[in-house]
Amino acid sequence: MISKMKLNNYLLIIYGVLIGITLSGIVWLSASPPRGEAVTILPTATPGNIIVHISGAVQVPGLYSLPVGSRLADAISAADGFAPGAEQDELNLAAPLRDGQQIDIPGIISTSHITIMRVNINIASASELDTLPSIGPTTAQAIVDYRLENGPFTSIQDIQKVPGIGSATYEKIEDYITVGE
């Protein structure tokens, strides 16, 4: 029989050999060149934006890029809010939006619901002109003064000749003005 001391010595030698083999394998694996193709880790997808077309009774109709998860209230806010005469009671402002959606806000200026009521810039008073988007009392009076000094406007684009009305303001009011009936 093997004595207890010799058995302990044999076990220590076996453990030492196993540890040595394990360490040799680790060194060999870490020193050897990599095999196969590299794995590329891609970032996780982040939500993008959606594009919606808002028209009708809003201050600035057009296309808007909004974050995914936006609601109708966000689109109306992006369009500078409701225009005068908007029929807000018919809308669900909490309705979620989807990419490519067209939203027509009903009201007196919405062509799909009620006939457009435009302001005739050749006969409107300063207080009537003041109701137009981006036109305040001072600019409304400037339109009346320009008309009195230069005669009637021949086209709606001529309103840009009035000091204080540039292309940005014109784009906001062009759907709301006329020079004829």
Side-chain angles (χ1 to χ4, degrees):
M1 273 189 78
I2 301 176
S3 71
K4 196 174 191 182
M5 188 185 241
K6 282 187 180 187
L7 183 60
N8 284 340
N9 284 339
Y10 285 127
L11 288 175
L12 286 176
I13 291 171
I14 291 173
Y15 288 139
V17 170
L18 289 175
I19 290 174
I21 291 171
T22 303
L23 290 176
S24 305
I26 292 172
V27 169
W28 178 75
L29 286 175
S30 64
S32 64
R35 291 175 267 165
E37 294 181 27
V39 176
T40 303
I41 299 175
L42 300 174
T44 58
T46 55
N49 285 345
I50 60 171
I51 306 293
V52 295
H53 177 206
I54 187 163
S55 58
V58 291
Q59 294 290 345
V60 186
L63 294 176
Y64 291 94
S65 177
L66 300 168
V68 171
S70 294
R71 305 290 178 155
L72 179 57
D74 301 320
I76 292 168
S77 178
D80 285 346
F82 290 108
E87 296 174 12
Q88 301 175 34
D89 294 338
E90 295 183 25
L91 302 172
N92 176 4
L93 298 178
L97 301 177
R98 65 183 186 284
D99 190 41
Q101 183 176 5
Q102 179 175 2
I103 305 147
D104 186 36
I105 305 300
I108 60 167
I109 54 113
S110 175
T111 57
S112 64
H113 294 282
I114 299 174
T115 305
I116 294 176
M117 310 248 335
R118 297 177 188 236
V119 175
N120 185 333
I121 58 176
N122 283 326
I123 60 172
S125 67
S127 62
E128 291 171 315
L129 293 166
D130 185 25
T131 65
L132 294 168
S134 301
I135 301 294
T138 303
T139 306
Q141 188 58 52
I143 294 169
V144 172
D145 294 344
Y146 182 89
R147 186 177 67 207
L148 291 172
E149 292 173 17
N150 299 289
F153 297 100
T154 57
S155 71
I156 62 171
Q157 293 85 1
D158 287 346
I159 200 164
Q160 295 178 83
K161 295 177 182 176
V162 175
I165 299 181
S167 60
T169 303
Y170 173 73
E171 287 177 13
K172 291 180 180 180
I173 65 172
E174 68 181 324
D175 292 334
Y176 308 105
I177 60 174
T178 184
V179 292
E181 294 181 17

